[in-house]
Amino acid sequence: MTDLLTDTFGRRHTYLRISLTERCNLRCRYCMPAGGVPLRPREEILTFEEIERLARLFVRAGVEKIRLTGGEPLVRTGMEALVEALGALPGLRTLALTTNGLLLPKKLPRLHAAGVNLLNISLDTLRPERFDHITRRQGLALVLHAIDLAIAYGYDPVKVNCVVMRGFNDDELADFVALTETKPIEVRFIEYMPFAGNGWQDARFMPYRDMLARLGERFPVLERLDDGPNATAKTYRVPGFRGRIGFITSMSEHFCDGCNRLRLTADGNLKVCLFGRAEVSLRDALRAGATDDELGAIIRAAVRRKKAAHAGMHTLAKAENRPMILIGG
């Protein structure tokens, strides 16, 4: 299984993102249609036992980091028990969670004890009325409380994911950076990406170079930091600030050549590229009685079909793909 996760371009995949559910307690405009999305029947979603078996297989093959996503992963009943099982996997170095934060205060004590050692909390605005508009729900105060609680539990940094849209929330960039002055936060500004049903418009797209220019009006000096070979973010710090900022430049300056990520959807499909249509069902193979070696062969074949890079923003805007909510953030 030594070459199970290496593609034909020499990229070794050590990072697996697992979606626990297609359900979410928010309705963010850039993520899903206003009416939500058709949800699969419960029996089509991976069980915790199936997730644990696949995770164990991936870790044995070389995955060192697992991130739990959704939908909103915290809405899945009993997910804490799964986290405890994953946290005990030998060889797993990082167990991460991406959440909108609404349910985090109630669940964080057990998640922290189970081994979740990296937190990303999604937040696209610091203004209550705008939060209500973007998410079609209320709850900004709860999210801000979740961030402070994560800091109190020792997460450093707490990563705050902010999808930036021109004319929508780009006037808050400097306000987000100001959060990093005294708090151990890494604000990650994410370029708006086209997905089915999210109303993507070219006019709303704001490349990171434009974000940098906007920030330069208030913070004329931004210190560039070193990023790892598989980093998705270009990171900076305002000199003297405790935290930092990052830019996820998936559209304007992709980082496909260093991609080490695979995705497992809630219904058990393996996606080797966030933006690719190609998927293969590990769930069906599992339920047909596949051995670990047979599952490994399916995974190896999928990884070796991974392309060098995604097709580009304007092509992706016209291509068919799942809505982001059904892929896993």
Side-chain angles (χ1 to χ4, degrees), residues 9 38 71 108 128 142 146 206 211 247 268 282 288 302 307 320:
F9 302 96
L108 185 55
L142 284 173
M206 188 173 192
M211 299 183 210
F247 299 90
L282 299 183
K307 297 180 180 180
E320 293 185 19

Side-chain angles (χ1 to χ4, degrees), residues 1 3-5 57-58 61 270 280 282 285 290-305:
M1 300 178 75
D3 67 340
L4 191 70
L5 303 180
L57 175 61
F58 275 99
L270 178 65
V280 60
L282 299 183
T291 65
D292 283 358
D293 286 344
E294 290 168 337
L295 288 169
I298 295 170
I299 294 167
R300 179 186 292 110
V303 170
R304 292 184 67 81
R305 289 193 295 268

